[in-house]
């Protein structure tokens, strides 16, 4: 239930081309396009009861119990009262219906909230406030700043220069940096003139509704001219209008046909693997029940033929029925008596257990995030045990693994590092919340959120160190950031990437404040003096160059080129005089990279005026060339970007959420594979992969699949698999050769560890039916998989692919609306309540505030829930099969007459009272080891992935165990009571004495068996077990008393049986012997199993006992460092094309305020403020951020200083 109605079902697209006319509803309605209303609810007032009951009776068990109820109302075959079945059945149906009704009411509320939002629509020449659901295709609507986009629109005009609008697309791709869209000039001239807009009658022909977020093709015909429409002119539903006063748009797609809704994914009913297994087992049990009833019916027919004629003297029949009809009635009578093999109490108990384990998650204080006041929440109660079987985790990156905050942490300038804090001996000390921060009060334009702890750098700025000044001057000039100054001194930066914003913010705080720009100038404030640099050229970034440069002329007329980019790229273009400085800077870069920081190198050169004039002329010719334009420009860039002088390097932390590397490490030890599916750029995702320890330098190889054609992608996958398994013929089978039955792709062993990174356009080919198996086989051979630039629907397709071909349980975790389809597709969906709203949370099964809580959800709550559920099912089937099979053996001694071996009241209370609480106590409180030991031994999680605790094999072992126990429980009491008398010789043993003895042996035996199953005894468990036994004896003596017989003689026929039987020594000896014979094989088997082939649980539990249940303190968490030379660049998270916008002026907002601010030069000052982090993060959303302090490792460096 998203804010935007993401719980919709995708409608099938039948149209081949969309045609519409602006301001002509009658014409557009003829095509019967979808309105803008969304509907995610399942029921209404009239359909709820029939539809819900129909869904519930699709469960085999519910239909079975309804069938039993019908049998029990037939007096000829029923020996039990009808209410014993109808009461629990109605209870289960009512509880489930109430839960479904509550969920659907919430969906109705969500739909109404979205559909009733207001927007201004141009109708009959006037702007009217209309509800979202009343908006039609072809309407012209007006949006204002910070409003959500109502439907998919083609932009007509806006309040900004050159008809630009700024939008935030976090709902679609998870990115919070702003995007730019621009209207056609012909429609931009309409402005906000209502008359002109009302007279606009342009016709649009475009692609039909689809889920491609990155592509749009269409044409607009107006005044006899045809204009091309592409993605840059489209506003999609789910976006938010930012920094734009108003804009007008023409509705192209509405409601379920919008691209957001087409990507929303289909809501599916999620069931656990144990639920699916239970359905299979219930069918097997039905077959087993039918076989038993058939055997007994045949036995009844034979008995009637041989012995029945003799009994008619004593028991004359009301009508002359033959043996065949008697057998027929006996069959159905035994169906009723033996139905306890699948009692309805099983399903009631399962729901109670799941509810209880859900409360444990809700109440867990260790999953509570105090900073945001967000507790963990189990939003569904039906999937808890599935949390203990996860094999694949699919995670979003932005906002899930990271905080989406970039912080300027360290710098290397002219061979000296800044950013560390040292004590009086010169040793680096760990930065904590009490470490003094740099005081930037000398700078009135400083960003108050920026934090830095090394005072040496600000001192170098104040002492006017030329290299330091040049360093920050480069950061203030070489970028594509836009500045907005709403009031004096209040600067707001709009950066295309958050790391670029962090660098410009750092320069701002250290005295080099980027103030404003025009297409041909950049204005900065240097140490209080405003200076305007002429921008002569901007050499833009692309994925090949991995760097950007600007050429500027300072106010004194000096020409300079400033360049920043990946260090490997910059080093190739440095002057020979920089070799010594380059070596030292390389050492610093290696240290920064080892801490997981994102680095880039900075360099500059002064240019000759005459040479630049010639170069500028050639640049103009190349930029206007119609052939090989890109190649010619690249050659010119290479020519001028050489013989650079190195200034230093920056180190930015793309802040991970707390505990992400440790969590991923723990989950990997639990043999859980983690795939990152992100809408971010490849380089950004790779950097995060290394930072959070998914990708490591010690991996044999990290494959990058980035082919632009199906053949290229197939070959890259083939090469990767050949590398991982050399010498083996790689056979890639197309899907059609697999036949109708789905093929399961088994895990393949490889030598070494590998990673896989695949781009969105390559993934589109890899997910095609002819190549999906190739991709899956290759990906599953890798230790880590990262998919970049993926659409929301592609995320869901990857999850579905793994679900289809791998016998594994999947979990998807994300925090934005772009993750909703993935969350819905996975077996388990987890939402993180982060910066991108609550859309993911509202569609999830579980939610919490931080990624690190996932390890507790899985390794503790999930594992315990799975363990408890499996123990419950094993024990429940054991006690009920044992209970029921005694009836089967007794049938051979009662003439197959469907007489029950137990008292009818014992049959009624066995599952309801006598054995209900003990098994619930075990299923709610049992644990093999506590949470600390669970974290110290994550391998304990593996048995759940392999279904070792409960499977078909385990079930059949339970049945065999029950057969043995039932034989002992029937024949030992039968032999002990046969032809015996009381010790005083007065009374001979009878049926009632035998029934009482058998049920007493049964109850004591199953209670002992329960005690053997439990690994963790609590006071509650003890009270439940002993209390149930006490309840049995109390109820038995009460019901077999004279008083109950006198009140209800027909209902309590066992008068005096308890007091006459329980005082006989041989009865108690029989109980003891029976219990020992039932339990002895179990104890022997477990002892031999633990001694000869102990499981991981046995080994850890032995350690716990050795430690006397006091585990050692957990190891202190240390920062995970990568001691590698791999370095990342700022340019890696940048996008091509922003330079063109900057220099063309199309990107520019209103001119910034031109003011000069003076600086008060003060000495070193400190503050007593205790920060929340090392430095304030740049957040593209403009929200204030705090970050937790990370540990800093001490490394000694040979510092190079310029002499």
């Amino acid at each position: 239930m998203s804010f935007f109605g993401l719980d919709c079902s995708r409608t099938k697209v039948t149209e081949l081309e969309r045609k519409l006319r602006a301001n002509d509803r009658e014409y557009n309605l003829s095509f019967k396009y979808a309105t803008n209303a969304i509907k995610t609810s399942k029921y209404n007032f009239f359909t709820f009861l029939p539809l819900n009951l129909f869904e519930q009776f699709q469960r085999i068990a519910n239909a079975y119990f309804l069938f039993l109820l019908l049998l029990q109302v037939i007096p000829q075959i029923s020996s039990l009262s009808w209410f014993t079945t109808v009461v629990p059945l109605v209870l289960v149906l009512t509880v489930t219906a109430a839960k479904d009704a509550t969920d659907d009411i919430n969906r109705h509320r969500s739909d109404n909230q979205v559909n009733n939002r207001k927007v201004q629509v141009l109708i009959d020449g006037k702007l009217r406030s209309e509800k979202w659901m009343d908006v039609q295709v072809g309407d012209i609507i007006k949006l204002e700043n910070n409003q959500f986009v109502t439907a998919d629109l083609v932009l007509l005009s806006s309040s900004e220069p050159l008809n630009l609008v700024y939008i935030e697309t976090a709902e679609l791709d998870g990115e919070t940096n702003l995007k730019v869209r621009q209207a056609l000039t012909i429609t931009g001239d309409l402005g906000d003139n209502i008359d002109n807009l009302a007279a606009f009658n342009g016709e649009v022909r475009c692609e039909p509704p689809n889920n491609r977020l990155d592509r749009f093709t269409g044409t607009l015909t107006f005044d006899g001219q045809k204009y091309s429409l592409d993605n840059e002119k489209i506003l999609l539903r789910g976006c938010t209008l930012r920094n734009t006063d108003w804009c007008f748009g023409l509705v192209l797609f509405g409601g379920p046909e919008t691209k957001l809704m087409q990507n929303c994914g289909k809501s599916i009913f999620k069931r656990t693997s144990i639920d699916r297994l239970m359905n299979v087992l219930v069918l097997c049990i039905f077959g087993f029940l039918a076989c038993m009833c058939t055997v007994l019916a045949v036995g009844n027919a034979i008995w009637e033929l041989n012995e029945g004629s003799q009994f008619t003297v004593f028991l004359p029949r009301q009508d002359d029925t033959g043996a065949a009809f008697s057998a027929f009635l006996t069959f159905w009578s035994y169906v009723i008596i033996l139905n306890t093999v699948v009692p309805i109490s099983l399903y009631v108990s399962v729901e109670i257990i799941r509810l209880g384990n859900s409360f444990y998650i809700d109440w867990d204080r260790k999953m509570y995030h105090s900073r945001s006041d967000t507790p963990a929440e189990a939003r569904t109660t039906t999937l808890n045990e599935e949390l203990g079987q996860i094999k694949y985790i699919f995670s979003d990156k932005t906002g899930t693994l990271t905080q989406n905050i970039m912080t300027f942490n360290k710098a290397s300038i002219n061979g000296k590092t800044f950013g560390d804090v040292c004590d009086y001996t010169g040793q680096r000390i760990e930065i904590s919340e009490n470490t003094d921060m740099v005081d930037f009060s000398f700078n009135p334009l400083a960003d108050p959120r920026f934090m830095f702890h090394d005072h040496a750098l600000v001192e170098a700025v104040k002492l006017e160190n030329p290299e330091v000044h040049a360093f920050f001057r480069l950061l203030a000039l070489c970028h594509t950031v836009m500045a907005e100054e709403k009031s004096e001194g209040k600067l707001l930066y709009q950066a295309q990437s958050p790391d670029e914003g962090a660098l410009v913010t750092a320069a701002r705080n250290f005295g080099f404040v980027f103030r404003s720009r025009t297409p041909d100038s950049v204005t900065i404030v240097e140490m209080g003096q405003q200076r305007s640099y002429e921008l002569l050229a901007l050499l833009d970034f692309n994925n090949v160059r991995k760097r950007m440069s600007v050429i500027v002329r300072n106010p004194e007329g000096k020409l300079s080129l400033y360049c920043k980019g990946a260090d490997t790229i910059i080093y190739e273009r440095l002057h020979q005089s920089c070799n010594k400085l380059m070596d030292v800077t390389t050492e610093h870069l290696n240290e920064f990279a080892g801490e997981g920081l994102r680095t880039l190198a900075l360099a500059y050169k002064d240019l000759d005026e005459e040479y630049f004039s010639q170069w500028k002329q050639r640049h103009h010719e190349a930029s206007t060339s119609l052939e090989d334009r890109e190649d010619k420009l690249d050659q010119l860039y290479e020519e001028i970007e050489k013989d650079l002088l190195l200034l230093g390097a920056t180190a930015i932390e793309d802040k991970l959420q707390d505990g992400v590397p440790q969590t991923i490490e723990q989950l990997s030890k639990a043999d859980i594979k983690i795939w990152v599916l992100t809408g971010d750029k490849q380089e950004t995702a790779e950097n995060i992969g290394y930072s959070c320890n998914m990708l490591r330098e010690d991996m044999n190889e990290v494959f990058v699949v980035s082919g632009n054609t199906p053949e290229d992608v197939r070959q890259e996958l083939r090469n990767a698999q050949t590398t991982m398994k050399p010498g083996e013929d790689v056979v890639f089978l197309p899907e059609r050769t697999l036949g109708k039955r789905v093929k399961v792709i088994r895990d393949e062993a490889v030598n070494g560890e590998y990673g896989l990174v695949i781009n969105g356009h390559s993934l589109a080919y890899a997910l095609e039916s002819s190549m999906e198996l190739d991709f899956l086989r290759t990906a599953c051979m890798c230790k880590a998989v990262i998919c970049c630039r993926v659409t929301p629907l592609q995320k869901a397709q990857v999850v579905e692919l793994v679900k289809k071909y791998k016998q594994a349980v999947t979990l998807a975790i994300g925090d934005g609306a772009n993750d909703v389809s993935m969350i819905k597709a996975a077996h388990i969906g987890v939402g993180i309540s982060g910066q991108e709203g609550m859309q993911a949370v509202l569609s999830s099964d579980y939610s919490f505030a931080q990624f690190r809580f996932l390890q507790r959800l899985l390794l503790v709550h999930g594992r315990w829930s799975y363990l408890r559920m499996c123990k419950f099912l094993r024990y429940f089937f054991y006690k009920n099969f044992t209970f029921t099979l005694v009836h089967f053996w007794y049938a051979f001694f009662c003439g197959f007459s469907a007489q029950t071996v137990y008292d009818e009241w014992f049959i009624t209370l066995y599952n309801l009272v006598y054995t209900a609480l003990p098994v619930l106590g075990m299923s709610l409180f049992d644990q093999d080891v506590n949470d600390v030991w669970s974290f110290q031994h994550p391998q304990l999680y593996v048995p759940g992935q392999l279904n070792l605790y409960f499977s078909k094999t385990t079930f059949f072992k339970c049945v065999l165990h029950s057969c043995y126990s039932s034989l002992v429980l029937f024949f030992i009491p039968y032999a002990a009571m046969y032809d015996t008398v009381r010790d005083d010789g007065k009374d001979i043993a009878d049926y009632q004495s035998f029934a009482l003895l058998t049920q007493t042996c049964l109850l004591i035996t199953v209670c002992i068996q329960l005690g053997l199953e439990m690994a963790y005894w609590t006071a509650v468990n003890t009270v439940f077990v002993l209390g149930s036994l006490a309840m049995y004896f109390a109820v038995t003596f009460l019901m077999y008393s004279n008083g109950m017989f006198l009140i209800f003689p027909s209902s309590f026929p066992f008068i005096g049986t308890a007091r006459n039987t329980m005082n006989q020594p041989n009865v108690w000896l029989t109980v003891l012997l029976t219990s020992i014979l039932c339990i002895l094989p179990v104890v022997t088997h477990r002892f031999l199993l633990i001694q000869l082939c102990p499981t991981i649980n046995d080994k850890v539990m032995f350690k716990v006992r050795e430690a006397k249940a006091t585990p050692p303190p957990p190891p202190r968490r240390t920062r995970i460092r990568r001691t590698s030379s791999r370095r990342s660049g700022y340019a890696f998270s940048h996008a091509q094309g922003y330079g063109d916008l900057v220099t063309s002026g199309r990107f520019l907002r209103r001119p910034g305020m031109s003011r000069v601010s003076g600086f008060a030069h003060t000495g070193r000052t400190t503050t007593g403020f205790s920060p929340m982090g090392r430095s304030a993060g740049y957040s593209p959303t403009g929200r204030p951020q705090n970050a937790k302090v990370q540990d800093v490792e001490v490394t000694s460096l040979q510092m190079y200083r310029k002499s």
Side-chain angles (χ1 to χ4, degrees), residues 674-677 682 685-686 689-690 694-696 699 701-706 713 716-721 724 753-759 762-763 766 774-788:
I674 301 177
W675 294 20
V676 172
L677 311 178
Q682 174 187 327
E686 276 191 72
Y690 280 98
M694 275 185 63
L695 301 176
R696 299 190 306 277
M699 282 184 167
E701 188 172 347
V702 176
F703 303 107
V704 177
V705 178
S706 56
V713 174
E716 288 175 350
L717 293 173
R718 188 183 298 272
N719 294 341
Q721 190 162 1
M724 288 186 280
E753 291 186 351
Y754 299 87
L756 176 68
V757 179
I758 183 167
N759 266 322
S762 302
L763 184 63
D774 308 2
F775 165 64
L776 182 62
R777 188 179 288 113
T778 306
C780 290
M781 293 168 68
C782 297
K783 186 75 173 177
V785 179
I786 297 177
C787 302
C788 320

Side-chain angles (χ1 to χ4, degrees), residues 293-294 296-302 304 321-334 896:
C293 293
T294 302
L296 296 179
V298 172
N300 177 265
I302 296 172
E304 286 287 342
T321 56
F325 187 67
S326 175
F328 175 76
L329 294 179
T330 301
F331 177 87
W332 295 111
S333 296
Y334 272 113
F896 306 96

